[in-house]
């Protein structure tokens, strides 16, 4: 009976399914669009160059300009970046042996991902001496850490089941782990001090786990779009009743809510200590989290780009766009004084800056690594 | 966000989520996973909404997202632990099995198919897509759909025995 299979499939599929939460889906989708739009705005030139380029064939590409050093004074509260397998700091360069895809800093060193197969990344720990230690595997380039503390986390897929894991890079121990779902987003959305912020279906944190006490706090679902956290400050998207983006809001126990209305993409990076927040806008923009006022950075205000990470409490790493390249700068806040660190114009070499998801998203669009969140059309990116 | 018409997207979800869930369930064999799969696929659909233009395109896009994501999940070794892939159905009970038992046997048999074959079964024989439409969803050649479909039917027949009569279907799908 030709129809028997169809009938049996119909009967087998007659299950009860929970109603779809359209609001949650549109909120998650809006955040995805915003991230992509910011990424494209920061480095549209790079998108074009990389899409036509050779990212998929990067294995073995290195940096013959490297001046290698065994400097034992490895500091992470300084401007740093990677090109290929070389880590650059103001004092030294380090050959890591693996092309770095993404990396984050802790107080002890860096944790980075490097491609080990078409769809798989190795997760490595490097503390300034010897070779990096491979500490996990993943297909998700998101890494999370607090540069002020020893903890770093990621979605680990080296075992039979995916896990969200956190290591103490000082001891090298895995200090926390939990089963994770392979959903479109990453389970650890932020680490602040000993607090790990966890999400379920999207990037909105639903739980907070204290690594010291083991306390697991349910944060609930208040519908706010999570942006960043630092100490008692949390940054969320600011939207009107219809969901139109107005900017960001900074919440704290002491000061309540401070609104930052800049009317563009909802991406922000809080500085260590939380005095400043760099936001996604057409040009480099920094706001005072206490007042919500824009910080006058002088000529830096007109640089097309964004401060995408903080080296220390007042030093921001800015990726700026020129006609032909990306320029990495170190800029002081509030003076606005900037120093050019390097220029990324060779798109056959991977480059990464710390604590940022933006650059790998751009490279993901090229097909260099299969990452589900990289699916984007040219029309969406514009 | 003006280009993303939330009301139209909500209408699409309301109209099609039931069918999408059922197809997703047949692909992954687990209600919770199916719900995750549909949510992920609908999020991708919402992101792509401005260029999909009409609901037919949206459904095709969502179906493709479900299928490719399901295949990706199954290729990750870890997901095999979520389903009874090692349990053969009790074919000796076929003659007196009730509907529930047959349904269980079918889901067990589907779980033992490679992910792409399982997707072909769902798309061709549940969703009633043509071979060309199925090939478009899977991103493969029509010939691949034919060969994968034939292999899938052969394995289903071997696994389910008398519980499932696929004679006509196999004679039509598999060239002599």
């Amino acid at each position: 009976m030709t129809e028997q299979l169809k009938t049996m499939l119909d009967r087998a599929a007659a299950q009860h399914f929970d109603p779809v939460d359209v609001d949650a889906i549109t909120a998650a989708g809006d955040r995805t669009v915003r991230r992509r739009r910011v990424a494209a705005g920061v480095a549209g030139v790079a998108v074009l160059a990389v899409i036509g380029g050779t990212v998929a064939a990067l294995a073995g590409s290195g940096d013959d300009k490297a001046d290698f050093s065994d400097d034992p004074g490895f500091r992470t509260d300084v401007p740093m970046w990677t090109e290929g397998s070389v880590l650059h700091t103001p004092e030294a360069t380090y050959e890591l042996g693996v092309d770095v895809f993404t990396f984050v800093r802790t107080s002890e060193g860096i944790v980075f991902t490097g491609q080990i197969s078409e769809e798989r990344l190795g997760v490595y720990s490097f503390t300034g001496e010897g070779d990096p230690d491979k500490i996990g595997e993943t297909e998700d380039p998101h890494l999370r850490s607090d540069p002020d503390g020893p903890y770093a986390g990621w979605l680990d897929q080296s075992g039979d089941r995916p896990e969200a894991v956190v290591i103490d890079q000082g001891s090298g121990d895995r200090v926390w782990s939990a089963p994770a779902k392979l959903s479109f987003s990453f389970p650890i959305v932020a680490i602040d001090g000993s607090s790990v912020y966890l999400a379920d279906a999207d990037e909105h944190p639903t739980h907070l786990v204290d690594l010291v006490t083991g306390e697991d706090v349910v944060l609930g679902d208040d519908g706010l779009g999570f942006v960043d956290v630092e100490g008692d400050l949390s940054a969320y998207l600011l939207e009107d009743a219809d969901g139109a983006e107005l900017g960001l809001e900074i919440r704290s126990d002491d000061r309540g809510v401070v609104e930052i209305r800049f009317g563009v993409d909802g991406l922000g990076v809080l500085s260590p200590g939380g005095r400043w927040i760099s936001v996604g806008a057409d040009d480099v923009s920094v706001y005072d989290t206490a007042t919500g006022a824009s910080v006058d950075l002088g000529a830096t205000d007109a640089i097309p780009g964004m401060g995408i990470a903080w080296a220390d409490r007042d030093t921001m790493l800015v990726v700026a766009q020129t006609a032909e390249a990306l320029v990495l700068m170190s800029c002081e806040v509030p003076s606005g004084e900037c120093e050019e660190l390097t220029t990324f114009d060779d798109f056959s070499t991977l480059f990464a800056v710390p604590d940022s998801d933006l650059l790998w998203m751009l490279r993901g669009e090229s097909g260099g690594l299969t990452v589900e969140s990289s699916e984007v059309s040219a029309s969406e990116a514009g | 966000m003006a280009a993303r018409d939330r009301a139209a997207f909500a209408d699409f979800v309301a109209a099609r989520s039931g069918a999408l869930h059922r197809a997703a369930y047949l692909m992954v064999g687990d209600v919770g996973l199916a719900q995750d799969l549909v949510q992920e696929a609908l999020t991708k659909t919402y992101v792509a909404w401005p260029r999909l233009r009409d609901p037919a395109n949206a459904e095709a896009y969502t179906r493709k997202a479900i299928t490719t994501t399901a295949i990706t999940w199954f290729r990750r070794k870890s997901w095999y632990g979520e389903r009874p892939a090692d349990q053969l159905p009790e074919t000796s009970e076929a003659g007196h099995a009730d509907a529930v038992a047959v349904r269980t046997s079918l889901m067990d048999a589907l779980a033992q198919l490679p992910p792409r074959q399982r997707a072909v079964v769902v798309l061709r024989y549940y969703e009633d897509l043509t071979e060309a439409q199925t090939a478009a969803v899977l991103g493969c050649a029509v010939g691949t759909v034919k060969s994968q479909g034939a292999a899938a039917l052969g394995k289903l027949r071997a696994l389910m025995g008398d519980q499932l009569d696929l004679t006509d279907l196999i004679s039509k799908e598999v060239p002599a």
Side-chain angles (χ1 to χ4, degrees):
Chain A
M1 295 287 290
T2 302
E3 291 299 314
Q4 188 188 7
L5 178 57
K6 165 73 171 170
T7 302
M8 291 175 66
L9 289 169
D10 274 332
R11 289 175 179 164
Q15 304 286 328
H16 171 75
F17 301 99
D18 293 339
V20 173
D21 187 342
V22 175
D23 289 340
I25 288 172
T26 56
D30 287 344
R31 280 194 286 279
T32 299
V33 173
R34 275 193 289 270
R35 287 201 310 272
R36 291 171 179 175
R37 198 182 300 136
V38 170
V42 168
V45 171
V47 173
L48 295 175
V50 175
I51 284 176
T54 56
V55 172
L58 284 172
S61 63
D63 184 347
D64 56 11
K65 298 177 294 186
D67 176 19
F68 302 112
S69 168
D70 292 324
D71 178 12
F74 188 65
R75 294 180 55 188
T76 57
D77 58 343
V78 294
M80 55 171 58
W81 71 96
T82 61
E83 292 179 84
S85 59
V86 177
L87 172 68
H88 297 265
T89 72
E91 301 299 326
T93 53
Y94 302 85
E95 171 57 54
L96 301 175
V98 181
D99 284 347
V100 175
F101 200 77
T102 56
F103 78 100
V104 293
R105 300 165 298 158
T106 74
S107 56
E108 309 300 316
I110 66 167
V111 173
F112 66 94
T113 62
Q115 201 156 358
I116 56 177
S117 68
E118 183 179 354
E119 295 186 352
R120 188 142 287 228
L121 297 163
V123 182
Y124 301 86
S125 170
F126 179 69
T127 55
E129 294 182 337
D131 294 327
D133 295 321
K134 186 165 175 285
I135 55 176
E137 292 187 10
T138 187
E139 296 174 10
D140 184 338
H142 290 96
L143 300 170
R144 289 292 180 263
S145 73
D146 181 347
D148 292 334
Y151 302 114
W154 68 94
L155 173 69
D156 192 77
Q157 294 169 266
S158 55
D160 291 337
R161 292 174 179 272
E163 289 183 305
V165 301
V166 175
I167 64 158
D168 178 339
Q169 200 175 16
S171 65
D173 296 333
R174 289 193 178 191
V175 294
W176 178 87
S177 67
K181 286 187 175 182
L182 293 177
S183 189
F184 63 90
S185 198
F186 41 97
I188 300 174
V189 292
I191 295 177
D192 181 58
S194 63
S195 299
V196 179
Y197 290 78
L198 305 169
D200 287 334
D202 61 22
E203 296 159 43
H204 178 74
T206 57
H207 284 257
L208 186 157
V209 174
D210 190 302
L211 296 172
V212 175
T213 66
E215 186 181 12
D216 186 337
V217 178
V218 177
L219 299 174
D221 185 4
D222 53 17
L224 297 171
F226 177 78
V227 174
D228 199 7
V229 62
E230 175 69 30
D232 72 337
L233 300 180
S234 298
Y236 296 92
L237 300 175
L238 176 63
E239 300 178 335
D240 69 14
D242 297 324
E245 302 157 19
L246 303 176
L248 300 177
E249 62 183 35
I250 311 295
R251 295 184 170 225
S252 69
D253 295 336
D254 295 339
R255 296 196 293 260
V257 177
V258 174
E259 292 187 352
I260 297 175
R261 292 175 176 260
F262 52 91
V264 289
D265 299 302
L267 188 124
V269 186
L270 286 161
S271 63
R275 182 177 179 188
W276 317 113
I277 185 167
S278 168
V279 303
D282 292 337
D283 303 317
V284 176
S285 299
V286 174
Y287 287 78
D288 186 323
T289 59
T291 63
S294 176
V295 179
D296 181 2
L297 298 174
T300 301
D301 283 340
I303 295 175
M306 179 184 171
I308 59 177
W310 292 85
D312 59 36
R313 288 172 176 260
D314 302 303
T315 307
M316 181 172 61
L317 284 175
V318 170
V319 172
Q321 175 186 340
T322 71
E324 298 176 345
L326 297 179
V327 179
L328 180 65
M329 299 186 297
S330 171
C331 297
E332 294 300 311
V333 178
S335 71
E337 294 177 6
C338 293
E339 174 190 359
E340 183 174 322
L341 298 172
T342 191
T343 298
F344 301 128
D345 56 4
D346 175 8
F347 294 104
S348 65
T349 300
L350 282 173
F351 50 85
V353 295
D355 318 325
S356 174
D357 298 330
L358 293 184
L359 295 182
W360 70 259
M361 291 175 66
L362 298 179
R363 291 194 295 269
E365 289 166 14
S366 74
L369 182 78
T370 302
V371 282
E372 292 162 5
S373 61
S374 71
E375 292 179 1
V376 60
S377 69
S379 60
E380 286 176 352
Chain B
M1 286 302 104
R4 285 180 175 72
D5 185 336
R6 294 184 194 213
F9 177 75
D11 289 344
F12 165 71
V13 171
R16 301 308 303 158
S17 63
L20 293 169
H21 272 124
R22 290 190 287 274
Y25 172 75
L26 291 173
M27 288 193 186
V28 298
D30 179 280
V31 170
L33 281 180
Q35 291 177 161
D36 287 350
L37 193 56
V38 169
Q39 174 164 317
E40 179 169 345
L42 285 174
T43 302
K44 291 178 177 177
T45 303
Y46 177 71
V47 170
W49 192 259
R51 59 189 161 89
L52 299 176
R53 293 188 180 86
D54 68 46
N57 288 339
E59 181 158 2
Y61 184 92
T62 311
R63 186 187 293 122
K64 184 166 187 171
I66 288 173
T67 304
T68 55
T69 305
I71 290 173
T72 300
W73 283 3
F74 273 96
R75 282 176 175 162
R76 291 168 174 161
K77 183 176 62 177
S78 54
W79 285 99
Y80 283 112
E82 301 288 343
R83 51 193 45 77
D86 295 328
Q87 297 174 4
L88 290 172
E90 297 293 335
T91 52
S92 60
E93 296 178 2
H96 50 82
D98 60 15
V100 173
V102 173
R103 185 172 66 192
T104 301
S105 294
L106 176 62
M107 295 308 294
D108 286 348
L110 282 174
Q112 295 180 65
L113 298 181
R116 188 174 287 264
Q117 290 182 19
R118 184 169 181 160
V120 169
V121 169
V122 175
L123 295 171
R124 286 280 288 124
Y125 309 116
Y126 177 71
E127 299 268 35
D128 286 329
L129 300 190
T130 66
E131 288 174 338
Q133 289 170 328
T134 303
V137 170
L138 291 171
C140 66
V142 170
T144 304
V145 172
K146 289 177 183 288
S147 61
Q148 295 283 297
L153 293 177
K155 190 163 187 179
L156 282 180
R157 182 169 64 174
L159 289 168
M160 297 196 65
D162 295 339
Q163 289 180 309
L164 179 61
D165 181 1
L166 296 170
T167 306
D168 290 350
L169 204 52
I170 288 177
S171 63
K172 186 173 72 173
E173 297 285 334
V174 182

